[in-house]
mmCIF file of all heavy atoms in Angstrom:
data_model
loop_
_atom_site.group_PDB
_atom_site.id
_atom_site.type_symbol
_atom_site.label_atom_id
_atom_site.label_comp_id
_atom_site.label_asym_id
_atom_site.label_seq_id
_atom_site.Cartn_x
_atom_site.Cartn_y
_atom_site.Cartn_z
ATOM 1 N N ILE A 1 -39.463 24.946 -74.823
ATOM 2 C CA ILE A 1 -38.067 24.870 -74.384
ATOM 3 C C ILE A 1 -37.183 25.704 -75.300
ATOM 4 O O ILE A 1 -36.349 26.500 -74.853
ATOM 5 C CB ILE A 1 -37.587 23.409 -74.355
ATOM 6 C CG1 ILE A 1 -38.292 22.642 -73.240
ATOM 7 C CG2 ILE A 1 -36.072 23.343 -74.158
ATOM 8 C CD1 ILE A 1 -37.861 21.202 -73.126
ATOM 9 N N VAL A 2 -37.350 25.526 -76.607
ATOM 10 C CA VAL A 2 -36.549 26.300 -77.557
ATOM 11 C C VAL A 2 -36.858 27.785 -77.422
ATOM 12 O O VAL A 2 -35.951 28.627 -77.463
ATOM 13 C CB VAL A 2 -36.810 25.806 -78.996
ATOM 14 C CG1 VAL A 2 -36.152 26.726 -80.014
ATOM 15 C CG2 VAL A 2 -36.289 24.382 -79.167
ATOM 16 N N ALA A 3 -38.121 28.131 -77.242
ATOM 17 C CA ALA A 3 -38.498 29.541 -77.120
ATOM 18 C C ALA A 3 -37.848 30.198 -75.910
ATOM 19 O O ALA A 3 -37.383 31.338 -75.985
ATOM 20 C CB ALA A 3 -40.021 29.666 -77.033
ATOM 21 N N THR A 4 -37.783 29.490 -74.793
ATOM 22 C CA THR A 4 -37.230 30.096 -73.579
ATOM 23 C C THR A 4 -35.703 30.109 -73.579
ATOM 24 O O THR A 4 -35.084 30.965 -72.939
ATOM 25 C CB THR A 4 -37.757 29.372 -72.324
ATOM 26 O OG1 THR A 4 -37.538 30.199 -71.176
ATOM 27 C CG2 THR A 4 -37.066 28.042 -72.102
ATOM 28 N N LEU A 5 -35.071 29.184 -74.314
ATOM 29 C CA LEU A 5 -33.612 29.127 -74.326
ATOM 30 C C LEU A 5 -32.985 29.945 -75.449
ATOM 31 O O LEU A 5 -31.791 30.267 -75.385
ATOM 32 C CB LEU A 5 -33.141 27.671 -74.432
ATOM 33 C CG LEU A 5 -33.420 26.776 -73.220
ATOM 34 C CD1 LEU A 5 -32.821 25.390 -73.443
ATOM 35 C CD2 LEU A 5 -32.847 27.390 -71.950
ATOM 36 N N LEU A 6 -33.760 30.292 -76.477
ATOM 37 C CA LEU A 6 -33.201 31.057 -77.598
ATOM 38 C C LEU A 6 -32.524 32.347 -77.143
ATOM 39 O O LEU A 6 -31.368 32.611 -77.510
ATOM 40 C CB LEU A 6 -34.296 31.355 -78.624
ATOM 41 C CG LEU A 6 -34.372 30.440 -79.838
ATOM 42 C CD1 LEU A 6 -35.561 30.789 -80.713
ATOM 43 C CD2 LEU A 6 -33.093 30.538 -80.657
ATOM 44 N N PRO A 7 -33.198 33.218 -76.361
ATOM 45 C CA PRO A 7 -32.516 34.451 -75.950
ATOM 46 C C PRO A 7 -31.305 34.200 -75.064
ATOM 47 O O PRO A 7 -30.331 34.944 -75.120
ATOM 48 C CB PRO A 7 -33.608 35.225 -75.198
ATOM 49 C CG PRO A 7 -34.633 34.215 -74.823
ATOM 50 C CD PRO A 7 -34.587 33.181 -75.893
ATOM 51 N N VAL A 8 -31.354 33.151 -74.244
ATOM 52 C CA VAL A 8 -30.216 32.837 -73.377
ATOM 53 C C VAL A 8 -29.002 32.449 -74.222
ATOM 54 O O VAL A 8 -27.876 32.918 -73.988
ATOM 55 C CB VAL A 8 -30.573 31.695 -72.411
ATOM 56 C CG1 VAL A 8 -29.398 31.366 -71.501
ATOM 57 C CG2 VAL A 8 -31.795 32.067 -71.573
ATOM 58 N N ILE A 9 -29.230 31.600 -75.208
ATOM 59 C CA ILE A 9 -28.122 31.127 -76.044
ATOM 60 C C ILE A 9 -27.608 32.238 -76.940
ATOM 61 O O ILE A 9 -26.393 32.381 -77.152
ATOM 62 C CB ILE A 9 -28.567 29.900 -76.856
ATOM 63 C CG1 ILE A 9 -28.848 28.730 -75.909
ATOM 64 C CG2 ILE A 9 -27.519 29.510 -77.880
ATOM 65 C CD1 ILE A 9 -29.416 27.508 -76.578
ATOM 66 N N GLU A 10 -28.498 33.071 -77.472
ATOM 67 C CA GLU A 10 -28.033 34.199 -78.283
ATOM 68 C C GLU A 10 -27.203 35.164 -77.448
ATOM 69 O O GLU A 10 -26.193 35.703 -77.911
ATOM 70 C CB GLU A 10 -29.223 34.921 -78.913
ATOM 71 C CG GLU A 10 -29.823 34.180 -80.086
ATOM 72 C CD GLU A 10 -30.277 35.120 -81.172
ATOM 73 O OE1 GLU A 10 -30.796 36.204 -80.861
ATOM 74 O OE2 GLU A 10 -30.094 34.774 -82.353
ATOM 75 N N GLY A 11 -27.620 35.405 -76.205
ATOM 76 C CA GLY A 11 -26.821 36.258 -75.326
ATOM 77 C C GLY A 11 -25.446 35.664 -75.062
ATOM 78 O O GLY A 11 -24.437 36.388 -75.045
ATOM 79 N N TRP A 12 -25.395 34.351 -74.859
ATOM 80 C CA TRP A 12 -24.108 33.676 -74.674
ATOM 81 C C TRP A 12 -23.237 33.832 -75.912
ATOM 82 O O TRP A 12 -22.028 34.097 -75.811
ATOM 83 C CB TRP A 12 -24.346 32.203 -74.359
ATOM 84 C CG TRP A 12 -23.095 31.398 -74.211
ATOM 85 C CD1 TRP A 12 -22.350 31.224 -73.086
ATOM 86 C CD2 TRP A 12 -22.424 30.642 -75.244
ATOM 87 N NE1 TRP A 12 -21.257 30.419 -73.349
ATOM 88 C CE2 TRP A 12 -21.283 30.055 -74.654
ATOM 89 C CE3 TRP A 12 -22.688 30.427 -76.591
ATOM 90 C CZ2 TRP A 12 -20.412 29.255 -75.388
ATOM 91 C CZ3 TRP A 12 -21.812 29.631 -77.319
ATOM 92 C CH2 TRP A 12 -20.698 29.052 -76.721
ATOM 93 N N CYS A 13 -23.827 33.690 -77.097
ATOM 94 C CA CYS A 13 -23.075 33.842 -78.351
ATOM 95 C C CYS A 13 -22.484 35.249 -78.461
ATOM 96 O O CYS A 13 -21.328 35.427 -78.865
ATOM 97 C CB CYS A 13 -23.975 33.559 -79.550
ATOM 98 S SG CYS A 13 -24.435 31.821 -79.755
ATOM 99 N N HIS A 14 -23.274 36.256 -78.104
ATOM 100 C CA HIS A 14 -22.795 37.634 -78.197
ATOM 101 C C HIS A 14 -21.626 37.864 -77.246
ATOM 102 O O HIS A 14 -20.641 38.511 -77.602
ATOM 103 C CB HIS A 14 -23.933 38.603 -77.880
ATOM 104 C CG HIS A 14 -25.071 38.506 -78.847
ATOM 105 N ND1 HIS A 14 -26.320 39.030 -78.585
ATOM 106 C CD2 HIS A 14 -25.160 37.941 -80.076
ATOM 107 C CE1 HIS A 14 -27.117 38.784 -79.608
ATOM 108 N NE2 HIS A 14 -26.436 38.123 -80.518
ATOM 109 N N ARG A 15 -21.728 37.338 -76.041
ATOM 110 C CA ARG A 15 -20.661 37.549 -75.062
ATOM 111 C C ARG A 15 -19.387 36.813 -75.461
ATOM 112 O O ARG A 15 -18.279 37.301 -75.217
ATOM 113 C CB ARG A 15 -21.113 37.085 -73.672
ATOM 114 C CG ARG A 15 -22.222 37.912 -73.064
ATOM 115 C CD ARG A 15 -22.423 37.577 -71.592
ATOM 116 N NE ARG A 15 -22.721 36.176 -71.355
ATOM 117 C CZ ARG A 15 -23.942 35.650 -71.376
ATOM 118 N NH1 ARG A 15 -24.987 36.426 -71.650
ATOM 119 N NH2 ARG A 15 -24.140 34.368 -71.137
ATOM 120 N N ARG A 16 -19.549 35.645 -76.049
ATOM 121 C CA ARG A 16 -18.390 34.821 -76.391
ATOM 122 C C ARG A 16 -17.861 35.076 -77.790
ATOM 123 O O ARG A 16 -16.815 34.538 -78.171
ATOM 124 C CB ARG A 16 -18.754 33.334 -76.256
ATOM 125 C CG ARG A 16 -18.911 32.871 -74.816
ATOM 126 C CD ARG A 16 -17.570 32.810 -74.144
ATOM 127 N NE ARG A 16 -17.689 32.472 -72.727
ATOM 128 C CZ ARG A 16 -16.661 32.441 -71.898
ATOM 129 N NH1 ARG A 16 -15.455 32.727 -72.347
ATOM 130 N NH2 ARG A 16 -16.827 32.143 -70.625
ATOM 131 N N GLY A 17 -18.578 35.885 -78.584
ATOM 132 C CA GLY A 17 -18.157 36.105 -79.957
ATOM 133 C C GLY A 17 -18.284 34.867 -80.817
ATOM 134 O O GLY A 17 -17.471 34.627 -81.722
ATOM 135 N N VAL A 18 -19.303 34.063 -80.540
ATOM 136 C CA VAL A 18 -19.537 32.811 -81.264
ATOM 137 C C VAL A 18 -20.699 33.012 -82.229
ATOM 138 O O VAL A 18 -21.686 33.673 -81.902
ATOM 139 C CB VAL A 18 -19.856 31.667 -80.287
ATOM 140 C CG1 VAL A 18 -20.265 30.406 -81.033
ATOM 141 C CG2 VAL A 18 -18.658 31.387 -79.394
ATOM 142 N N SER A 19 -20.589 32.457 -83.410
ATOM 143 C CA SER A 19 -21.687 32.538 -84.365
ATOM 144 C C SER A 19 -22.875 31.716 -83.869
ATOM 145 O O SER A 19 -22.717 30.542 -83.517
ATOM 146 C CB SER A 19 -21.246 32.010 -85.728
ATOM 147 O OG SER A 19 -22.354 31.892 -86.594
ATOM 148 N N PRO A 20 -24.090 32.309 -83.817
ATOM 149 C CA PRO A 20 -25.267 31.527 -83.408
ATOM 150 C C PRO A 20 -25.498 30.302 -84.286
ATOM 151 O O PRO A 20 -26.087 29.322 -83.839
ATOM 152 C CB PRO A 20 -26.417 32.534 -83.542
ATOM 153 C CG PRO A 20 -25.773 33.872 -83.411
ATOM 154 C CD PRO A 20 -24.413 33.732 -84.042
ATOM 155 N N SER A 21 -25.005 30.349 -85.527
ATOM 156 C CA SER A 21 -25.194 29.207 -86.426
ATOM 157 C C SER A 21 -24.443 27.969 -85.958
ATOM 158 O O SER A 21 -24.723 26.858 -86.415
ATOM 159 C CB SER A 21 -24.744 29.570 -87.848
ATOM 160 O OG SER A 21 -23.369 29.929 -87.864
ATOM 161 N N LYS A 22 -23.498 28.150 -85.011
ATOM 162 C CA LYS A 22 -22.723 27.019 -84.507
ATOM 163 C C LYS A 22 -23.438 26.261 -83.386
ATOM 164 O O LYS A 22 -23.005 25.160 -83.019
ATOM 165 C CB LYS A 22 -21.361 27.510 -83.997
ATOM 166 C CG LYS A 22 -20.362 27.841 -85.096
ATOM 167 C CD LYS A 22 -19.945 26.588 -85.838
ATOM 168 C CE LYS A 22 -18.837 26.851 -86.827
ATOM 169 N NZ LYS A 22 -18.454 25.603 -87.568
ATOM 170 N N VAL A 23 -24.500 26.834 -82.835
ATOM 171 C CA VAL A 23 -25.137 26.186 -81.677
ATOM 172 C C VAL A 23 -26.662 26.079 -81.762
ATOM 173 O O VAL A 23 -27.257 25.269 -81.040
ATOM 174 C CB VAL A 23 -24.762 26.918 -80.364
ATOM 175 C CG1 VAL A 23 -23.291 26.729 -80.045
ATOM 176 C CG2 VAL A 23 -25.117 28.391 -80.432
ATOM 177 N N LEU A 24 -27.316 26.889 -82.610
ATOM 178 C CA LEU A 24 -28.778 26.900 -82.582
ATOM 179 C C LEU A 24 -29.393 25.665 -83.236
ATOM 180 O O LEU A 24 -30.407 25.147 -82.764
ATOM 181 C CB LEU A 24 -29.311 28.174 -83.253
ATOM 182 C CG LEU A 24 -29.101 29.463 -82.454
ATOM 183 C CD1 LEU A 24 -29.787 30.641 -83.146
ATOM 184 C CD2 LEU A 24 -29.614 29.322 -81.027
ATOM 185 N N LEU A 25 -28.816 25.191 -84.314
ATOM 186 C CA LEU A 25 -29.346 23.963 -84.925
ATOM 187 C C LEU A 25 -29.175 22.759 -83.997
ATOM 188 O O LEU A 25 -30.092 21.938 -83.875
ATOM 189 C CB LEU A 25 -28.686 23.719 -86.281
ATOM 190 C CG LEU A 25 -29.441 22.807 -87.264
ATOM 191 C CD1 LEU A 25 -30.883 23.243 -87.413
ATOM 192 C CD2 LEU A 25 -28.738 22.809 -88.616
ATOM 193 N N PRO A 26 -28.041 22.614 -83.313
ATOM 194 C CA PRO A 26 -27.959 21.545 -82.300
ATOM 195 C C PRO A 26 -29.005 21.679 -81.194
ATOM 196 O O PRO A 26 -29.445 20.666 -80.647
ATOM 197 C CB PRO A 26 -26.536 21.711 -81.746
ATOM 198 C CG PRO A 26 -25.759 22.290 -82.878
ATOM 199 C CD PRO A 26 -26.720 23.217 -83.581
ATOM 200 N N LEU A 27 -29.398 22.914 -80.848
ATOM 201 C CA LEU A 27 -30.465 23.089 -79.862
ATOM 202 C C LEU A 27 -31.749 22.439 -80.354
ATOM 203 O O LEU A 27 -32.407 21.682 -79.618
ATOM 204 C CB LEU A 27 -30.694 24.573 -79.590
ATOM 205 C CG LEU A 27 -31.949 24.918 -78.757
ATOM 206 C CD1 LEU A 27 -31.836 24.344 -77.344
ATOM 207 C CD2 LEU A 27 -32.167 26.425 -78.714
ATOM 208 N N SER A 28 -32.125 22.703 -81.586
ATOM 209 C CA SER A 28 -33.337 22.103 -82.141
ATOM 210 C C SER A 28 -33.206 20.586 -82.226
ATOM 211 O O SER A 28 -34.109 19.847 -81.824
ATOM 212 C CB SER A 28 -33.621 22.690 -83.535
ATOM 213 O OG SER A 28 -34.733 22.045 -84.129
ATOM 214 N N PHE A 29 -32.075 20.106 -82.726
ATOM 215 C CA PHE A 29 -31.885 18.668 -82.885
ATOM 216 C C PHE A 29 -31.914 17.963 -81.531
ATOM 217 O O PHE A 29 -32.439 16.849 -81.410
ATOM 218 C CB PHE A 29 -30.558 18.389 -83.588
ATOM 219 C CG PHE A 29 -30.608 18.561 -85.086
ATOM 220 C CD1 PHE A 29 -31.579 19.356 -85.673
ATOM 221 C CD2 PHE A 29 -29.690 17.940 -85.910
ATOM 222 C CE1 PHE A 29 -31.634 19.519 -87.057
ATOM 223 C CE2 PHE A 29 -29.740 18.086 -87.284
ATOM 224 C CZ PHE A 29 -30.704 18.882 -87.860
ATOM 225 N N ALA A 30 -31.333 18.597 -80.493
ATOM 226 C CA ALA A 30 -31.313 17.974 -79.170
ATOM 227 C C ALA A 30 -32.728 17.805 -78.632
ATOM 228 O O ALA A 30 -33.069 16.754 -78.055
ATOM 229 C CB ALA A 30 -30.474 18.807 -78.203
ATOM 230 N N THR A 31 -33.570 18.817 -78.809
ATOM 231 C CA THR A 31 -34.945 18.694 -78.313
ATOM 232 C C THR A 31 -35.733 17.677 -79.131
ATOM 233 O O THR A 31 -36.590 16.975 -78.586
ATOM 234 C CB THR A 31 -35.663 20.052 -78.356
ATOM 235 O OG1 THR A 31 -35.713 20.537 -79.702
ATOM 236 C CG2 THR A 31 -34.957 21.073 -77.482
ATOM 237 N N VAL A 32 -35.449 17.584 -80.417
ATOM 238 C CA VAL A 32 -36.137 16.589 -81.253
ATOM 239 C C VAL A 32 -35.728 15.181 -80.840
ATOM 240 O O VAL A 32 -36.570 14.278 -80.702
ATOM 241 C CB VAL A 32 -35.823 16.843 -82.744
ATOM 242 C CG1 VAL A 32 -36.354 15.689 -83.600
ATOM 243 C CG2 VAL A 32 -36.445 18.159 -83.206
ATOM 244 N N LEU A 33 -34.438 14.970 -80.629
ATOM 245 C CA LEU A 33 -33.955 13.643 -80.221
ATOM 246 C C LEU A 33 -34.496 13.260 -78.852
ATOM 247 O O LEU A 33 -34.877 12.112 -78.621
ATOM 248 C CB LEU A 33 -32.424 13.643 -80.202
ATOM 249 C CG LEU A 33 -31.725 13.649 -81.558
ATOM 250 C CD1 LEU A 33 -30.257 13.983 -81.393
ATOM 251 C CD2 LEU A 33 -31.888 12.308 -82.264
ATOM 252 N N GLY A 34 -34.540 14.209 -77.929
ATOM 253 C CA GLY A 34 -35.049 13.910 -76.601
ATOM 254 C C GLY A 34 -36.543 13.711 -76.555
ATOM 255 O O GLY A 34 -37.077 13.104 -75.624
ATOM 256 N N GLY A 35 -37.238 14.216 -77.585
ATOM 257 C CA GLY A 35 -38.700 14.147 -77.587
ATOM 258 C C GLY A 35 -39.269 12.753 -77.660
ATOM 259 O O GLY A 35 -40.448 12.542 -77.353
ATOM 260 N N THR A 36 -38.444 11.768 -78.045
ATOM 261 C CA THR A 36 -38.955 10.389 -78.148
ATOM 262 C C THR A 36 -38.592 9.553 -76.920
ATOM 263 O O THR A 36 -38.802 8.336 -76.926
ATOM 264 C CB THR A 36 -38.407 9.705 -79.413
ATOM 265 O OG1 THR A 36 -36.990 9.868 -79.463
ATOM 266 C CG2 THR A 36 -39.019 10.310 -80.662
ATOM 267 N N ILE A 37 -38.076 10.194 -75.879
ATOM 268 C CA ILE A 37 -37.760 9.441 -74.660
ATOM 269 C C ILE A 37 -39.034 9.000 -73.953
ATOM 270 O O ILE A 37 -39.093 7.923 -73.360
ATOM 271 C CB ILE A 37 -36.864 10.291 -73.732
ATOM 272 C CG1 ILE A 37 -35.480 10.457 -74.372
ATOM 273 C CG2 ILE A 37 -36.745 9.649 -72.350
ATOM 274 C CD1 ILE A 37 -34.537 11.329 -73.580
ATOM 275 N N SER A 38 -40.062 9.839 -74.007
ATOM 276 C CA SER A 38 -41.337 9.473 -73.383
ATOM 277 C C SER A 38 -42.494 9.905 -74.265
ATOM 278 O O SER A 38 -42.309 10.627 -75.252
ATOM 279 C CB SER A 38 -41.465 10.105 -71.991
ATOM 280 O OG SER A 38 -41.982 11.415 -72.082
ATOM 281 N N LEU A 39 -43.688 9.507 -73.888
ATOM 282 C CA LEU A 39 -44.879 9.843 -74.661
ATOM 283 C C LEU A 39 -45.169 11.340 -74.645
ATOM 284 O O LEU A 39 -45.792 11.868 -75.563
ATOM 285 C CB LEU A 39 -46.082 9.075 -74.096
ATOM 286 C CG LEU A 39 -47.389 9.120 -74.891
ATOM 287 C CD1 LEU A 39 -47.214 8.453 -76.249
ATOM 288 C CD2 LEU A 39 -48.506 8.442 -74.109
ATOM 289 N N LEU A 40 -44.701 12.052 -73.604
ATOM 290 C CA LEU A 40 -45.005 13.467 -73.445
ATOM 291 C C LEU A 40 -44.088 14.379 -74.248
ATOM 292 O O LEU A 40 -44.302 15.582 -74.289
ATOM 293 C CB LEU A 40 -44.909 13.861 -71.962
ATOM 294 C CG LEU A 40 -45.878 13.173 -71.003
ATOM 295 C CD1 LEU A 40 -45.627 13.658 -69.584
ATOM 296 C CD2 LEU A 40 -47.320 13.443 -71.421
ATOM 297 N N GLY A 41 -43.054 13.826 -74.877
ATOM 298 C CA GLY A 41 -42.042 14.664 -75.504
ATOM 299 C C GLY A 41 -42.536 15.501 -76.664
ATOM 300 O O GLY A 41 -42.103 16.640 -76.822
ATOM 301 N N THR A 42 -43.415 14.962 -77.492
ATOM 302 C CA THR A 42 -43.901 15.705 -78.654
ATOM 303 C C THR A 42 -45.388 15.423 -78.854
ATOM 304 O O THR A 42 -45.921 14.400 -78.414
ATOM 305 C CB THR A 42 -43.161 15.292 -79.946
ATOM 306 O OG1 THR A 42 -43.525 13.959 -80.295
ATOM 307 C CG2 THR A 42 -41.654 15.369 -79.773
#
């Protein structure tokens, strides 16, 4: 999930003039938090 969304989010950052450091760590944390919803998450 992170691998496929990284280029999408970086492209969004470039278009919006937003620092990738403001959104990429939340991307990782969101997938980690969601990973315990079911047995298949991690």
Side-chain angles (χ1 to χ4, degrees):
I1 291 181
V2 172
T4 197
L5 292 183
L6 262 176
V8 180
I9 294 175
E10 284 217 322
W12 177 87
C13 289
H14 298 164
R15 293 192 302 272
R16 288 288 175 185
V18 173
S19 171
S21 60
K22 284 293 187 181
V23 292
L24 288 186
L25 201 50
L27 170 64
S28 176
F29 280 22
T31 60
V32 171
L33 287 166
T36 50
I37 291 177
S38 86
L39 189 64
L40 298 179
T42 69

